[in-house]
Amino acid sequence: MVIDFHTHIFPDKIAGNVIGKLQLLSRSCPYTDATAGGLQASMKQASVDYSITLPVMTNPGQVEKLNTLAGQALVSAKETGLIPFGGMHPDYENYKAELRRLHDMGIRGIKIHPAYQGVDFDDIRFLRIIDAACELGLIVLTHAGMDIGIPGHNFTSVSHIHHVLKELSPPKLVLAHMGGWDCWKEVEQDLAGAPVWLDTAFSLGIIEPAPGTNRTPEESMMMNPKDFLRLAGKHGTDRILFATDSPWSSQITYRKMFDDMTLTDEERANIMGQNAIRLLKAEL
């Protein structure tokens, strides 16, 4: 079974506008139209069984509406192949009640994005949210490292992550982008082996520039397979989650990269889906 642990979709009526703005901000090319139908077509082409869909809440007023939509989408997840997570914003006041509502709906995790939300990962507002989520057994998936569209400040640095681990020891913390986008040397040196999961979203291969934008070869290069395998081996392949960040990476290209990597059958099966099943504690 193949599970993509990190994808994004938007309602059909706004997907075009949203993806247009984001591709200019990030100077990177999307590989789907960022709709549910576009993701499902990509999954079929790439033989991906399930995709976790993650919201990004840029203001507290979005929290209840987007979480309600996640609960509605969960009802048909077996049929659609799309498993929604909820989300939380650090300035949302009734976070405990809202996390309880997500738990009671059957949602298995939340996404936070310190860079888009403008708050450091180890800020007390996030610490409270993570602590409350942990009490409910929810997975917490956070953007980690630099953000391609927000240069200048790392809101989820390795130092921030270590502070959170020291304060809370969250049992189900997933760090996107192999622990820290564009900070992979530091992750390998100072974070590999920590009690966290790393997802592979938007961390492998080449960034395709959006039309009308330019990238130098250095700006376009992410991790190569050799560096990935070294980091994964040091961290433990039992805590690596296959993920693409669709629409920002191609699911079929990612599948081919992992098919071509020097992994044992057990390591490949764990990364591609078995680790996710264990973390989700779900029968899929």
Side-chain angles (χ1 to χ4, degrees):
M1 178 172 289
V2 177
I3 300 173
D4 187 339
F5 212 86
H6 188 141
T7 69
H8 301 284
I9 56 174
F10 303 96
D12 290 5
K13 63 182 180 180
I14 66 168
N17 287 335
V18 172
I19 210 70
K21 292 177 181 177
L22 290 175
Q23 71 176 350
L24 290 177
L25 184 66
S26 64
R27 293 184 298 135
S28 59
C29 183
Y31 289 86
T32 78
D33 63 3
T35 65
L39 177 57
Q40 289 171 308
S42 170
M43 290 166 61
K44 183 176 181 180
Q45 184 183 30
S47 298
V48 171
D49 298 288
Y50 289 94
S51 289
I52 307 293
T53 60
L54 305 172
V56 177
M57 297 174 179
T58 56
N59 68 73
Q62 296 173 319
V63 170
E64 293 174 26
K65 178 180 179 180
L66 293 181
N67 284 340
T68 295
L69 291 174
Q72 294 169 353
L74 183 64
V75 175
S76 56
K78 286 279 188 179
E79 292 73 37
T80 64
L82 307 181
I83 302 174
F85 271 22
M88 188 54 61
H89 191 281
D91 292 326
Y92 181 79
E93 293 183 358
N94 298 319
Y95 65 92
K96 287 187 177 180
E98 185 66 6
L99 291 171
R100 168 59 68 177
R101 186 169 78 98
L102 285 170
H103 172 272
D104 292 347
M105 286 191 293
I107 299 291
R108 296 184 181 273
I110 62 169
K111 166 70 183 292
I112 57 177
H113 200 307
Y116 276 16
Q117 295 167 337
V119 176
D120 285 342
F121 181 54
D122 61 351
D123 185 279
I124 186 61
R125 288 167 286 179
F126 276 133
L127 290 174
R128 290 169 178 163
I129 289 167
I130 295 166
D131 189 41
C134 290
E135 288 184 4
L136 294 167
L138 294 173
I139 298 164
V140 176
L141 191 156
T142 182
H143 174 90
M146 298 298 296
D147 186 273
I148 191 172
I150 307 176
H153 181 71
N154 190 344
F155 290 89
T156 315
S157 67
V158 169
S159 177
H160 292 137
I161 293 164
H162 276 302
H163 185 201
V164 171
L165 294 178
K166 181 180 179 181
E167 292 292 319
L168 299 178
S169 300
K172 296 181 181 180
L173 178 62
V174 179
L175 305 175
H177 316 300
M178 286 303 290
W181 194 81
D182 204 27
C183 302
W184 297 297
K185 290 182 180 178
E186 186 180 3
V187 170
E188 182 177 350
Q189 179 177 332
D190 297 329
L191 190 61
V196 296
W197 279 261
L198 308 182
D199 85 26
T200 68
F202 199 69
S203 57
L204 294 164
I206 304 293
I207 301 171
E208 182 71 23
T213 66
N214 294 300
R215 286 188 166 276
T216 66
E218 184 177 76
E219 289 178 320
S220 298
M221 189 67 192
M222 295 191 285
M223 298 183 77
N224 61 49
K226 181 180 178 181
D227 292 338
F228 167 80
L229 289 170
R230 189 178 62 250
L231 173 53
K234 187 174 181 180
H235 186 69
T237 53
D238 59 335
R239 283 182 176 252
I240 304 292
L241 301 163
F242 174 75
T244 65
D245 208 4
S246 177
W248 303 110
S249 292
S250 162
Q251 288 183 318
I252 195 166
T253 299
Y254 256 61
R255 281 297 315 270
K256 186 177 188 309
M257 281 193 286
F258 276 91
D259 287 345
D260 292 343
M261 281 187 194
T262 306
L263 294 161
T264 68
D265 290 345
E266 181 180 10
E267 288 172 335
R268 185 174 285 104
N270 281 339
I271 292 171
M272 300 307 291
Q274 293 306 307
N275 291 338
I277 291 172
R278 287 190 285 269
L279 182 57
L280 291 165
K281 294 185 177 178
E283 295 181 6
L284 299 175

